[in-house]
Structures are given as C-alpha cells and as structure tokens.
Amino acid sequence: MTSTSHDRLLIIDFGSQVTQLIARRLRESNVYCEIHPYQNVTDAFLADFAPKAVILSGGPDSVTREGSPRAPQSLFDMGVPILGICYGQQTMMEQLGGKVESGHGTAEFGRAFVTPNDHKLDLLDGWFANGKEQVWMSHGDHVSQIAPGFEVYGTSPNAPCAIIADASRHFYAVQFHPEVHHTPNGAKLYENFVKLAGFTGDWTMAGYKDQAIAAIREQVGDKQVICGLSGGVDSSVTAILLHEAIGEQLTCVFVDHGLLRLNEAAEVVKMFRDNYNIKLIHADESDLFLGELDGVSDPETKRKIIGKLFIDVFQKYANGIEGAEFLAQGTLYPDVIESVSFSGGPSVTIKSHHNVGGLPEKMGLKLVEPLRELFKDEVRALGLELGLPASFIGRHPFPGPGLAIRCPGEITREKLAILQQADAVYIDQIRKHGLYDEIWQAFAAILPMKTVGVMGDGRTYDYAVAIRAVTSVDGMTADTYPFTHEFMGETMTRIINEVKGVNRVFYDLTSKPPGTIELE
Ligand code: XMP
C-alpha cells in the first residue's frame, strides 16, 4: 500500500543511528515521510517519489573519504526544500561547491551551545529566545567553506557553520542533530521546515484509517483473508481494520497454546466475537503444545517446539478456510525500514518480520500488511480510532511463547496454574496502585525450585515465584522499576495468601543488559 494521496517527505538515510527519530518528529507534525537508504535513491527513484521536501540524514562516514556516499546531484535541481543534518550537511556542501575538513581539534561530541548571527531565517522561528540554544553534536568533520549562495545563521565553539542556509532556494543545513532529545528545541526546527515546505499536516489517523480501508478493499477484491490473532495490539488492530474493510471475507485464527495468562483466551475471544462480530476460530490446542513440551527444560528447545507447532496448527486451520488467498500480518514500519550497511556495500539487509514465520511462502498466500507504514504509537492511535478500548491498547507486551519462557525448567500444568494466579494477583496490585502505565512490562515467573516455609504453625515446602517489572522504550534495553518497599511487601503477602502452592516471593532486580526481560 502506498500513500500517494499524501504530501510526501523523503528522508535519505546515510546510516545515522538516529534516522528513525527524524521520521518520528515529522510524523508528530502530521507529515507523511519515508526513509530510504542512499543507495536506493537514484534519479529515477527521486522522479517517481516526487517528494515535496527532502531531508539528508547524518551518517558515520566522512565526506572527505573518496567514494563516500552522496545524494543524487539531480536532487538539488528539483526545486524542493532540502534540510541536511550532520553528514547530510557536509555532503550538501561538498556537492554544491563548499568544502569539508576532517579533525584538527574541531570534533565535537555531545552537548554544545549555538548562538545566532544577525540574520533572520524562517527555519529558526521560535529559536534563540534566550540568546542561545542547546544542541547535540556528534561530528569529526566540519564545513570549512560554505557553498556559493549560502550564509551562516548560527555557530557553536567548534562548528563555525552550525546552521547555514541558502534561503532563496530553501536549502538548509545544520551540523547538529535536531531530532534527538538532547536538542530540546529541535522539534521546532522540523516543524518550521515542513511549514515552509508547504505541508498541510494531512497525515492523521482518521485519514489514514479511511485510506487504509480503501487500499485493503482494492488489494483483496472479493477474496478471503486469514489473520493470525495473538491478542496483542498489532494483530488486533490489523484484524479490526480488515474487518471494517472486508467484513465477512475475514477469518481470524486464535491459537491457544495453553501458555496464556489467566482468563486471557476467554477475554480475547469474547472481545472479538461480542464487540466486533468477527469470524473467529478459537483453536484450543493446549493439549498438543503442553504434550510436546512435557519434560523439556532447555529454553531454545522450548521456543523451537512452540514455533513449529504454531505454524503447523495455524496451517491446519487455515487450510480449512475455503478460497483463502491472503494472509494478514501486523508488520510495523520499523520492521521494514532497510538499514544502511556500510560494511556490506550496496547490498542492504531488509529486516522482515513474520508473525507466523514462513507461512505465506509455504501456503502460497499473498500478504496484506496494513500497518507497514506505522510506528508502534501510531498503531495504538489507529486502534483507538477503530474503537478498541484504551485499556486493551495499553497492555504490556506479551511474548509469543507465552508463559513457557516464564517457567524455567520443566513445564507442568500445576506450575502453569500457580504462575497464572500469581501473575494475576501481581498485575492486579500494580493496577490498584495506578502503576500499570508507568511500567513497560511486569509479570511473574515461577522458579524451578521449592523452598521451606512456615505458615499457620506448620511447615510448608512450596514453589518460589519471582516478580519482575521493567521500564523501557523499545524493549532493547530495560531498567528495573523502583517499587517502594511497602508495595513489594504488600504484593508478597497477597501472592502467598491468595495463591496456593507458593511460599516465597523474589523481586528480580536485573536490568537489561546484563539480563533479558524474559527469563528465557
Ligand atoms: P527479551 O527477553 O529478549 O525480550 O529481553 C524483549 C521483548 O521481546 C519480548 N519477547 C518476545 N516477543 N516473541 C515475541 O513476540 C518472542 O519469542 C519473544 N521473546 C521475547 C519480551 O516480552 C520483551 O517485551
């Protein structure tokens, strides 16, 4: 699906670690943008994409190195506003007749302050109210001579050309990174840039929903679509969007592997059947999964068994759906952005994410991926637009292998039942104390050990439960959530009092790294 009806901004990626943040800032201004690696942006690509404005990202290379990346020269003749960031600024200067030099004590990493000169520039509206702006620098090279037509509008101690522009052509270039958090007023620069480029802010979730529905109808025609539902936000939003678009042509398959949280299967099935009247197959295959997992304690073996069975089961049910030609998946934009590979030359790696890995090829199904253009928070906004309850949209992530990876050692029905109950009590505590939305992920795990305790004057020999809560932005790194001692004491008491079979509770203090969020 493409968004040709929107004004489009093109971000040419030179491999900066923070290019995705540029896209985030622009989407916050309701501007539709796409990131493409510089290798793919040819003259023909540019002509076809027809951007209303272009941003050149930062990158790790040096424009002083022979053969280093460049923007297509035709870009500068398109008559569209261009903004160069860091490496983007430098290649812009090099390509337009300026000069860039390396090192010589002018490298700058981290916080710096930029001061303005006397000239006014539309890009800088709302900047320098206090005489200077904090910015985030990360450069070894610097512009030593600006290209003809350019003027300097801001300098920092080690970047004499921190902000430069050729205002008549709407070409702007900055040495620092306005997209990062440590350039506190950086979002304003992007806002000014898209405003002066004439964007109307037509990228809204209501508009996206209508457009996505129309695109799904066009793609699918009168054919049947199947969708694997996990109960998570991405697959749920995908399913509901498809249901709005094609109604009865959609069948969802919810594979219940017996490793879900307490009452989860019933709640998911009820929500989809009652509220949305979606055709839903509830595949209760818990006996199969738990049977195959019997006696298995190696974490990777568990994951492999679950992954394989999941595909087998999904395929079994999908085969029964007559005329199915499409498989819907909740792939998100970060999964499809091609990453620039400097070591690997022009061949870039495409991260492709399959919720039901390998199925489309195996079954000869075509893919419908209506969330491919969205970031996670945009999926949440779309979910709200589609009427999903806020409490559902804000649920903590839950891994595909479910409770299996929260039960180190052998999985038994007894341990799973204890784990489900302990987890439910713990999450109830967090909700009651109003902490749920502050935490990225919280869950209980059951440890592969029994310990001795004393309850009601009697000896106990029961399971130990670990509780875990982490804060995170993307799940890649995580920090332990700092509960109060009082909260932890109350939670321990409730779990032991309310869950039979548990006599000890541990709090997992491990951050990621060195730990991972899940125990396995
Ligand atoms: P780790 O444990 O690797 O987890 O720190 C990072 C995030 O990913 C989730 N996770 C998974 N999600 N399938 C999923 O859909 C999986 O196999 C899987 N393993 C981990 C985990 O819950 C956390 O949010």
Side-chain angles (χ1 to χ4, degrees):
M1 187 169 63
T2 57
S3 291
T4 42
S5 60
H6 292 284
D7 289 338
R8 286 137 61 94
L9 188 148
L10 171 66
I11 300 170
I12 302 181
D13 183 19
F14 290 106
S16 162
Q17 299 292 318
V18 289
T19 302
Q20 277 202 29
L21 288 181
I22 303 176
R24 291 297 314 120
R25 296 286 95 81
L26 295 167
R27 299 253 178 128
E28 281 160 15
S29 294
N30 296 331
V31 166
Y32 181 77
C33 60
E34 286 183 22
I35 300 174
H36 290 272
Y38 72 91
Q39 298 101 320
N40 293 359
V41 183
T42 57
D43 294 340
F45 177 96
L46 271 181
D48 183 54
F49 192 95
K52 201 178 172 76
V54 175
I55 293 179
L56 307 177
S57 87
D61 211 330
S62 167
V63 298
T64 60
R65 188 183 67 76
E66 199 162 317
S68 54
R70 293 285 177 270
Q73 202 65 33
S74 65
L75 168 67
F76 302 105
D77 300 323
M78 290 183 84
V80 299
I82 302 172
L83 172 62
I85 313 286
C86 197
Y87 185 92
Q89 178 198 44
Q90 292 160 7
T91 194
M92 215 166 146
M93 285 303 96
E94 190 73 22
Q95 295 186 251
L96 292 172
K99 276 208 179 81
V100 175
E101 280 176 19
S102 272
H104 303 304
T106 53
E108 221 175 2
F109 295 96
R111 190 173 288 114
F113 288 91
V114 176
T115 47
N117 71 358
D118 298 339
H119 307 292
K120 264 195 79 65
L121 185 68
D122 44 8
L123 184 78
L124 299 174
D125 272 358
W127 261 47
F128 301 122
N130 302 317
K132 61 181 181 179
E133 289 284 347
Q134 181 187 313
V135 300
W136 193 255
M137 293 283 192
S138 180
H139 64 103
D141 297 351
H142 69 283
V143 173
S144 57
Q145 189 188 314
I146 53 177
F150 278 75
E151 274 190 72
V152 176
Y153 290 87
T155 56
S156 77
N158 275 343
C161 302
I163 304 171
I164 54 179
D166 175 346
S168 66
R169 285 194 284 175
H170 287 311
F171 288 176
Y172 308 87
V174 296
Q175 178 63 81
F176 52 88
H177 288 272
E179 61 276 16
V180 306
H181 182 68
H182 291 95
T183 302
N185 210 7
K188 185 75 183 139
L189 280 197
Y190 288 112
E191 207 184 298
N192 290 340
F193 180 65
V194 296
K195 198 165 141 203
L196 67 86
F199 283 90
T200 52
D202 58 356
W203 173 254
T204 61
M205 269 312 130
Y208 180 78
K209 185 185 100 179
D210 295 343
Q211 189 205 342
I213 287 173
I216 292 167
R217 285 184 184 144
E218 194 185 320
Q219 184 188 4
V220 168
D222 58 1
K223 302 295 188 297
Q224 296 290 318
V225 181
I226 49 176
C227 177
L229 204 58
S230 70
V233 175
D234 302 343
S235 68
S236 300
V237 170
T238 303
I240 293 166
L241 187 63
L242 267 126
H243 182 64
E244 285 225 356
I246 55 168
E248 289 288 296
Q249 288 161 255
L250 172 73
T251 307
C252 291
V253 181
F254 174 60
V255 178
D256 179 354
H257 48 24
L259 299 159
L260 297 167
R261 290 166 289 196
L262 192 67
N263 300 329
E264 184 162 23
E267 282 165 16
V268 169
V269 170
K270 186 170 167 27
M271 185 176 92
F272 281 89
R273 286 212 178 121
D274 293 0
N275 296 347
Y276 293 97
N277 201 19
I278 287 181
K279 263 197 280 178
L280 175 65
I281 297 171
H282 176 189
D284 181 358
E285 295 284 350
S286 46
D287 286 345
L288 174 71
F289 280 81
L290 297 183
E292 293 282 319
L293 287 167
D294 191 28
V296 177
S297 56
D298 175 66
E300 273 311 295
T301 313
K302 281 183 191 172
R303 280 178 175 271
K304 290 212 173 90
I305 291 173
I306 295 167
K308 182 185 172 302
L309 285 179
F310 202 90
I311 292 179
D312 290 349
V313 167
F314 188 85
Q315 193 163 6
K316 180 177 89 182
Y317 286 91
N319 283 344
I321 299 165
E322 193 131 341
E325 280 196 21
F326 291 90
L327 175 73
Q329 288 196 153
T331 312
L332 306 191
Y333 192 47
D335 303 319
V336 297
I337 296 175
E338 297 178 26
S339 46
V340 175
S341 150
F342 282 88
S343 51
S347 68
V348 293
T349 321
I350 301 174
K351 285 186 275 170
S352 76
H353 159 120
H354 292 289
N355 291 350
V356 253
L359 263 182
E361 298 83 27
K362 241 179 147 175
M363 301 177 65
L365 294 171
K366 286 173 262 180
L367 280 178
V368 187
E369 297 180 307
L371 311 184
R372 280 179 73 83
E373 295 175 352
L374 305 185
F375 286 95
K376 187 83 180 181
D377 53 342
E378 291 175 318
V379 173
R380 294 201 171 106
L382 179 60
L384 289 176
E385 194 66 44
L386 288 162
L388 269 164
S391 58
F392 183 84
I393 301 270
R395 287 202 318 170
H396 292 173
F398 187 67
L403 299 182
I405 58 176
R406 297 176 179 175
C407 181
E410 290 186 18
I411 299 166
T412 64
R413 285 182 190 269
E414 182 204 12
K415 278 159 88 178
L416 282 178
I418 291 173
L419 173 54
Q420 284 178 326
Q421 287 173 42
D423 186 72
V425 172
Y426 176 43
I427 298 299
D428 183 57
Q429 268 287 99
I430 288 175
R431 285 200 188 277
K432 275 199 176 128
H433 283 74
L435 303 175
Y436 191 84
D437 294 336
E438 282 177 38
I439 295 170
W440 160 271
Q441 210 167 353
F443 57 87
I446 183 161
L447 300 179
M449 66 191 218
K450 285 188 168 184
T451 68
V452 174
V454 54
M455 284 165 82
D457 291 335
R459 179 186 191 269
T460 58
Y461 185 58
D462 282 331
Y463 283 107
V465 158
I467 53 176
R468 183 145 175 72
V470 294
T471 55
S472 178
V473 178
D474 50 16
M476 305 298 284
T477 56
D479 216 343
T480 316
Y481 185 79
F483 287 126
T484 62
H485 206 79
E486 193 187 357
F487 174 88
M488 289 199 280
E490 196 180 299
T491 306
M492 177 277 296
T493 307
R494 274 197 63 191
I495 291 177
I496 291 177
N497 285 351
E498 294 175 35
V499 184
K500 197 168 171 321
V502 179
N503 67 354
R504 199 171 287 267
V505 177
F506 290 95
Y507 184 57
D508 183 350
L509 271 180
T510 324
S511 58
K512 174 183 178 176
T516 55
I517 294 178
E518 303 292 344
L519 270 69
E520 291 188 337

